[in-house]
């Protein structure tokens, strides 16, 4: 059971380049999420999708766009990467409703030079 | 406890001892809480959860205690093993926003080091 799969695992970009991070889940979950994790900051929500066809901003959406391609896949796009976007990005998914834990992928480590 | 700076608080325990990791949550209306374990280079892994109508919940070698009066959550790990070495953080489920998903707020974590 793969759970949540993220690609790529590592990426180095130059400032101004664009990049799409991919995420897929095989748990038939309705909700999917993108977070970034920085030292001392904890996990911060970038965007989420409560169901196929819907997306909403989280705490730190500036500089990012998302696409909920279908129920399984939720991608995160950086249109013009900036050094401040150097981080570890995690995708998660959960069933809808109260008391449903989020399940995470192993992350994409992104460096912007 | 949870970190407020760049450096995570660290808890060092001897193998075989019990570990207690603490978390102070922020919102008195939060109704669901989760503990996650994160190993180096990996994503957060679900350990155990608890609803606000409970004070205690037990899993395999782990127990979560919830004190709503002081907004405090703790994770107890029995007979700590080297494989338990990781960063542990709590998450609280904010009250439903009406947007279709229940959003979590995460603590910054505590690093557990197990001494063989």
């Amino acid at each position: 059971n793969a759970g949540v799969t993220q690609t790529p695992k590592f990426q180095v970009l130059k400032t101004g380049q664009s990049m799409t991070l991919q995420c897929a889940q095989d748990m038939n979950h309705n909700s999917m999420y993108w977070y970034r994790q920085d030292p001392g900051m904890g996990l911060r929500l970038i965007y989420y999708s409560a169901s196929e066809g819907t997306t909403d901003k989280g705490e730190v959406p500036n500089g990012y766009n998302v696409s909920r391609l279908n129920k399984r896949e939720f991608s995160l796009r950086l249109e013009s990467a900036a050094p401040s976007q150097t981080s570890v990005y995690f995708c998660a998914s959960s069933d809808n409703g109260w008391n449903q834990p989020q399940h995470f992928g192993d992350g994409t480590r992104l460096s912007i030079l | 406890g949870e970190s407020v700076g760049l450096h995570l608080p660290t808890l060092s325990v001897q193998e075989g001892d019990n570990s207690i990791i603490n978390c102070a949550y922020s919102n008195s209306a939060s109704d669901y809480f989760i503990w996650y374990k994160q190993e180096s280079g990996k994503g957060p892994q679900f350990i155990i959860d608890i609803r606000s109508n409970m004070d205690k919940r037990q899993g395999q070698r782990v127990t979560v205690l919830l004190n709503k009066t002081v907004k405090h959550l703790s994770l107890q790990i029995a007979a700590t093993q080297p494989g338990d070495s990781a960063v542990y953080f709590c998450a609280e489920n904010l009250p439903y926003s009406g947007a279709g998903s229940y959003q979590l707020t995460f603590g910054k974590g505590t690093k557990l080091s197990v001494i063989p």
Side-chain angles (χ1 to χ4, degrees):
Chain A
N1 190 351
V4 178
T5 302
Q6 293 184 237
T7 56
K9 295 187 186 304
F10 303 93
Q11 185 69 47
V12 179
L13 294 177
K14 295 181 180 179
T15 297
Q17 287 186 315
S18 61
M19 170 79 190
T20 299
L21 309 185
Q22 306 288 351
C23 174
Q25 53 92 9
D26 62 4
M27 295 174 282
N28 201 36
H29 287 163
N30 285 314
S31 295
M32 297 186 73
Y33 312 81
W34 276 105
Y35 292 90
R36 59 179 290 173
Q37 186 177 44
D38 302 291
M41 300 294 290
L43 284 161
R44 292 184 291 168
L45 183 65
I46 305 172
Y47 270 94
Y48 66 97
S49 170
S51 61
E52 184 179 351
T54 69
T55 61
D56 286 284
K57 295 179 180 179
E59 180 186 353
V60 288
N62 291 344
Y64 305 94
N65 286 299
V66 290
S67 295
R68 182 73 182 268
L69 304 171
N70 47 56
K71 190 171 185 178
R72 291 187 64 248
E73 298 172 289
F74 189 37
S75 63
L76 178 71
R77 182 161 178 85
L78 288 70
E79 288 291 351
S80 179
S84 62
Q85 294 178 304
T86 293
S87 188
V88 182
Y89 291 86
F90 288 101
C91 177
S93 70
S94 71
D95 279 329
N96 277 5
W98 183 63
N99 79 340
Q100 299 298 328
Q102 293 179 20
H103 299 273
F104 288 80
D106 280 337
T108 294
R109 283 140 188 87
L110 184 60
S111 293
I112 316 295
L113 305 178
Chain B
E2 296 295 303
S3 170
V4 294
L6 291 177
H7 301 287
L8 292 176
T10 300
L11 175 66
S12 295
V13 299
Q14 205 72 35
E15 182 178 357
D17 287 350
N18 297 333
S19 303
I20 300 176
I21 301 170
N22 297 304
C23 173
Y25 64 92
S26 60
N27 194 323
S28 58
S30 294
D31 53 12
Y32 173 60
F33 305 88
I34 308 171
W35 277 100
Y36 284 94
K37 171 186 181 183
Q38 188 175 21
E39 298 174 279
S40 180
K42 297 286 189 180
Q45 177 187 358
F46 170 81
I47 302 174
I48 191 168
D49 56 4
I50 187 168
R51 305 176 188 182
S52 59
N53 61 353
M54 303 169 69
D55 297 324
K56 178 180 180 179
R57 191 172 188 210
Q58 290 184 292
Q60 187 178 10
R61 281 201 307 120
V62 294
T63 300
V64 55
L65 298 178
L66 175 62
N67 186 331
K68 295 180 287 293
T69 302
V70 294
K71 294 190 291 184
H72 184 268
L73 199 64
S74 68
L75 177 71
Q76 301 178 2
I77 304 174
T80 311
Q81 302 168 0
D84 295 327
S85 293
V87 174
Y88 291 81
F89 52 90
C90 63
E92 62 184 293
N93 197 129
L94 300 177
Y96 184 56
S97 66
S101 286
Y102 289 81
Q103 295 186 39
L104 297 177
T105 297
F106 294 85
K108 296 178 178 61
T110 296
K111 183 177 181 180
L112 175 65
S113 295
V114 181
I115 304 164

